[in-house]
Amino acid sequence: MRHLKTTTHPDVEHLDQATILKRLATRAIVVDGEDILLLFTERYHDYSLPGGGLDEGEDIIAGLVRELEEETGAKNIHGIKPFGLFEEFRPWYKNDANVMHMISYCYSCKIDRELGETAYEDYEVKNGMKPVWINIHDAIAHNEKTIAESDKKGMSIERETYLLHLIAKEML
């Protein structure tokens, strides 16, 4: 899979002295014309690609399908193709580690436009997460406004906005 980008959060100063936790994740890219299936998160006021962490020993594609079904209610997931890998180093404060090395495997796929029931985890419900079909350019503009103006933004918005720009450039 092609390497898209590596980022290091500004709060991570020296990786050579860090205790690093590695986390593998998937991100689903589902486009229909200029519309893209994203998750809107009220807490962070942003749009992100559906996806999340892989369970220990879980196959990447199986994890992608599981996350897409749980977070969006997607049905008839097919045509899965590799898009690229996004790597990031960010602060972490659990499991005796102070840096998380997250590797996100991004895949494009097709689904039925109509979504079914979601199966959110408690924190996703508390964060106000919901699946939405939105024009990709509107999502990019929204995220860029959140980056510029909001103190609520989370650590993943820069990754998500970078990916949305790349998807718009390469897939539309």
Side-chain angles (χ1 to χ4, degrees):
M1 180 174 286
R2 72 180 171 149
H3 183 267
L4 302 173
K5 187 173 184 176
T6 298
T7 63
T8 303
H9 191 276
D11 291 347
V12 175
E13 294 180 14
H14 301 287
L15 287 174
D16 55 344
Q17 299 171 6
T19 305
I20 300 173
L21 171 72
K22 188 173 182 180
R23 181 171 187 235
L24 304 180
T26 63
R27 311 275 168 225
I29 302 165
V30 185
V31 294
D32 182 9
E34 289 201 349
D35 286 350
I36 186 166
L37 179 61
L38 297 175
L39 297 170
F40 180 76
T41 304
E42 185 64 39
R43 177 180 178 187
Y44 300 118
H45 200 64
D46 67 2
Y47 289 100
S48 60
L49 295 168
L54 294 171
D55 295 332
E56 185 70 34
E58 185 176 27
D59 175 78
I60 296 171
I61 300 297
L64 176 83
V65 169
R66 176 184 54 77
E67 286 285 343
L68 189 53
E69 288 173 343
E70 288 174 359
E71 292 185 343
T72 69
K75 295 183 257 182
N76 190 25
I77 301 166
H78 63 282
I80 300 171
K81 296 178 184 166
F83 184 77
L85 181 147
F86 191 102
E87 177 180 44
E88 57 196 306
F89 294 90
R90 57 165 63 170
W92 187 249
Y93 309 101
K94 300 178 197 167
N95 304 66
D96 298 323
N98 57 6
V99 173
M100 179 195 292
H101 177 204
M102 176 131 57
I103 302 170
S104 295
Y105 297 94
C106 305
Y107 290 85
S108 65
C109 63
K110 301 288 184 195
I111 66 168
D112 292 346
R113 177 89 182 194
E114 186 178 327
L115 302 173
E117 293 295 313
T118 58
Y120 289 126
E121 295 183 47
D122 288 343
Y123 78 92
E124 293 169 327
V125 172
K126 288 177 185 165
N127 287 346
M129 188 179 281
K130 65 180 178 189
V132 291
W133 286 101
I134 183 171
N135 178 284
I136 193 168
H137 304 292
D138 293 342
I140 291 168
H142 177 94
N143 276 7
E144 288 178 339
K145 186 174 192 310
T146 297
I147 289 169
E149 299 176 3
S150 177
D151 57 358
K152 292 177 18 172
K153 67 181 179 187
M155 280 195 278
S156 60
I157 192 168
E158 284 87 2
R159 174 193 67 222
E160 297 298 322
T161 307
Y162 173 85
L163 290 170
L164 289 171
H165 275 289
L166 194 59
I167 292 161
K169 178 181 167 190
E170 294 185 5
M171 293 183 66
L172 299 189

